[in-house]
Amino acid sequence: MKWNLPNILTLLRLLAAPGLAVMFLYFTRPYADWFALILFLSAAITDWFDGYLARAWKQETKMGAMLDPIADKAMVVIALMIMVGYSTEHWTPWLVLPATVILFREVFVSGLREYLGDVAGTLKVTKLAKWKTTAQMVAIAVLFSQGIFEHYFVMSTFGMDAALIDQILSGQVEDISGLQWKLDGMFWSGRIGLWLLWIAATLTLITGYDYLRKAMPHLKEG
């Protein structure tokens, strides 16, 4: 195994995946959301950076080729698990279906690649598959920010009764705590994050079917 910089960055990204869950075990919210968002964004940037360096420096290795997709899948799977587990009841039903589609595709394609063995390396990754990964990363990052807005809104309304909150949001009382922009941020980041996640799930289905179609000739009996 060659321990060059691209491989080290890929390994750090792989180790960062379980770190997302650790943030929610050892920190209270919204600090856990902040740390998870920063960790996730750092890993997403590293995903592009390590691949670019490996190609530019001609340091592409078997170890890097093996670890890179594992790190991507680990980040997405663990992040989706956190999203579903910690989301509010209002968003959970809409998160479960696209998350299920994404998780099912990753498990199915991973099993298919394991069965195909060396043949899997001949099935080229399409540009659409890269867009799928990008859409997943952006959607998850936006949904992490939704948790931040939500908990700052809850913290700002602590001790207020419902009538006072309604008066502030309707403009009858001065909004010195910034409730309106926190509520807007919570709503729109959640809505946009969900739209992006559904787009990612759609791309996931398309790329999963495309991979199965390419693999079919190698699955025929005889």
Side-chain angles (χ1 to χ4, degrees):
M1 294 186 294
K2 295 182 179 180
W3 290 103
N4 52 40
L5 181 57
N7 285 349
I8 292 173
L9 291 175
T10 302
L11 181 61
L12 290 176
R13 184 157 49 90
L14 178 62
L15 296 176
L20 294 175
V22 172
M23 296 299 105
F24 287 85
L25 291 177
Y26 290 98
F27 297 99
T28 58
R29 304 181 74 182
Y31 305 108
D33 299 87
W34 269 114
F35 293 145
L37 176 60
I38 293 170
L39 187 61
F40 187 84
L41 287 176
S42 301
I45 293 171
T46 304
D47 182 24
W48 176 86
F49 204 59
D50 59 19
Y52 173 80
L53 290 179
R55 291 186 296 270
W57 294 352
K58 300 186 186 304
Q59 294 184 349
E60 295 173 292
T61 64
K62 291 182 178 180
M63 177 184 174
M66 180 269 294
L67 287 180
D68 187 70
I70 295 175
D72 288 342
K73 289 176 175 56
M75 289 295 296
V76 169
V77 168
I78 294 174
L80 289 176
M81 178 187 69
I82 294 170
M83 293 292 175
V84 173
Y86 285 90
S87 64
T88 59
E89 293 182 3
H90 177 69
W91 294 118
T92 299
W94 297 102
L95 275 171
V96 170
L97 183 55
T100 300
V101 169
I102 292 171
L103 295 178
F104 177 81
R105 186 267 187 191
E106 298 301 347
V107 172
F108 181 81
V109 171
S110 295
L112 191 57
R113 283 175 177 158
E114 181 179 355
Y115 175 79
L116 292 174
D118 294 337
V119 175
T122 65
L123 304 180
K124 299 297 183 181
V125 177
T126 63
K127 289 185 178 180
L128 190 61
K130 295 180 179 179
W131 277 106
K132 176 264 300 180
T133 301
T134 301
Q136 289 177 356
M137 296 293 187
V138 174
I140 291 170
V142 174
L143 287 171
F144 270 132
S145 70
Q146 191 268 341
I148 295 172
F149 282 115
E150 178 183 357
H151 280 79
Y152 276 120
F153 178 80
V154 172
M155 289 167 63
S156 298
T157 58
F158 184 76
M160 297 183 184
D161 57 26
L164 177 58
I165 295 173
D166 289 339
Q167 290 173 352
I168 293 174
L169 295 177
S170 63
Q172 300 176 39
V173 177
E174 184 180 1
D175 187 8
I176 59 176
S177 299
L179 295 188
Q180 188 62 59
W181 69 262
K182 293 171 185 175
L183 181 63
D184 290 341
M186 178 182 73
F187 176 81
W188 284 110
S189 59
R191 182 65 59 86
I192 293 171
L194 277 175
W195 289 341
L196 290 172
L197 194 64
W198 277 89
I199 292 172
T202 302
L203 294 177
T204 296
L205 279 176
I206 295 171
T207 56
Y209 171 77
D210 180 64
Y211 193 89
L212 176 61
R213 181 180 58 81
K214 291 177 179 177
M216 284 302 295
H218 305 285
L219 300 177
K220 292 181 179 179
E221 298 291 342

